[in-house]
Amino acid sequence: MKIIQTLENLRASIAMVRKNGQPIALVPTMGALHEGHLSLVREAQKATPNVIVSIFVNPTQFGANEDLDSYPKQLEADAALLQSIDIPIIWAPDVTTIYPAGFATSMQITGLDDNFCGSKRPGHFDGVILIVSKLFNQTGADLAFFGEKDYQQLAIIRQMASDLDFDIDIIGVPTVRNADGLALSSRNSYLSEDELRSALALPQSMQEAAKAIQNGTDVQSALTNAADTMLKSGFQSIDYINLIDAQSLKILENWDGEEARLLAAAFIGTTRLIDNLAVK
Ligand code: AMP
């Protein structure tokens, strides 16, 4: 396994692994790897042995008051984990390799980022599509794997890849949860024991809301109930909780049996957690 930090070495290593005639798969991450990331990697390995895992905490997707400086960094531990499962290439560039002095290009997604994390974190998805398109170009990957955990992100990346004619298959992978139902996240490491217990109210109240909606409860009361339960269980504030159309991400006021998704973000202490759940 190679940990690569320059573009020149990346291109040379990719040319080497490509010699086996198999496609290149990319799994973009910000590191602090957990089972959620590993499930993306395993899916990628089903398609090809040529799996590149990128580890880069991308500054352009963090807002001014967000956790860029405190975001967990553990390249050695991540590398050991990836070595144990036979990943040939870790792409771990420095910020100056990705954004050298004089870097002057930005990107903007419209529409799909009007709500949810897009409106609560202005500019976030513009930073995401910028780094993801750079990673697509740098690796020339044939396939790229992203988690459904970041549901709006997955939809936006699909749109961007299609709009910009990237010749790449975008594959979504279901959310991995701990035994209690909490979606795994690098940000869970910010939580105290007490906060971790309280955080379970997020998946639990979403499950209840999904069930209630499926059983005919009106959408608004199901969402209000879920938000109230979370606030009573130790969440400080709810950023949003909505029922949306699973494809268009349009907010649904009523549920008529279409494929839908419950989408939520909430703060526990200063930590922002997101989750989503299928309603069908
Ligand atoms: P991150 O390192 O948080 O930027 O995540 C990198 C990739 O892993 C993204 O495509 C995420 O959606 C995905 N991911 C993060 N957490 C999970 C999870 N619990 N289950 C599945 N995929 C995840």
Side-chain angles (χ1 to χ4, degrees), residues 28-31 34 36-37 40 71 146-147 149-150 153 174-176 184:
T29 80
M30 298 205 298
H34 50 64
H37 299 113
L40 268 55
Y71 198 85
F146 295 90
K149 157 91 182 349
D150 298 276
Q153 167 174 285
T175 301
V176 177
L184 299 187

Side-chain angles (χ1 to χ4, degrees), residues 27-40 54 56 61 71 145-151 153-154 157 173-177 182-187:
V27 179
T29 80
M30 298 205 298
L33 301 181
H34 50 64
E35 270 300 316
H37 299 113
L38 293 187
S39 86
L40 268 55
S54 64
F56 180 67
Q61 70 188 68
Y71 198 85
F145 292 75
F146 295 90
E148 288 180 356
K149 157 91 182 349
D150 298 276
Y151 197 80
Q153 167 174 285
L154 177 58
I157 288 169
V173 180
T175 301
V176 177
R177 299 174 180 280
L182 182 66
L184 299 187
S185 163
S186 306
R187 289 191 168 97

Side-chain angles (χ1 to χ4, degrees), residues 141-241:
D142 306 288
L143 311 142
F145 292 75
F146 295 90
E148 288 180 356
K149 157 91 182 349
D150 298 276
Y151 197 80
Q152 189 176 17
Q153 167 174 285
L154 177 58
I156 285 174
I157 288 169
R158 285 190 198 285
Q159 180 74 44
M160 178 277 290
S162 159
D163 287 349
L164 300 188
D165 307 315
F166 277 107
D167 187 10
I168 189 165
D169 283 342
I170 308 293
I171 293 149
V173 180
T175 301
V176 177
R177 299 174 180 280
N178 72 11
D180 297 320
L182 182 66
L184 299 187
S185 163
S186 306
R187 289 191 168 97
N188 292 352
S189 66
Y190 299 150
L191 302 176
S192 67
E193 295 260 307
D194 274 354
E195 287 175 329
L196 267 173
R197 260 189 299 278
S198 303
L200 300 182
L202 175 60
Q204 284 166 359
S205 52
M206 287 177 78
Q207 287 276 6
E208 276 162 31
K211 236 184 277 163
I213 291 167
Q214 279 157 341
N215 290 335
T217 303
D218 123 271
V219 169
Q220 211 42 58
S221 18
L223 298 180
T224 307
N225 264 343
D228 287 348
T229 308
M230 283 162 59
L231 291 171
K232 278 190 201 122
S233 309
F235 277 84
Q236 261 65 46
S237 61
I238 313 293
D239 242 3
Y240 61 82
I241 177 160

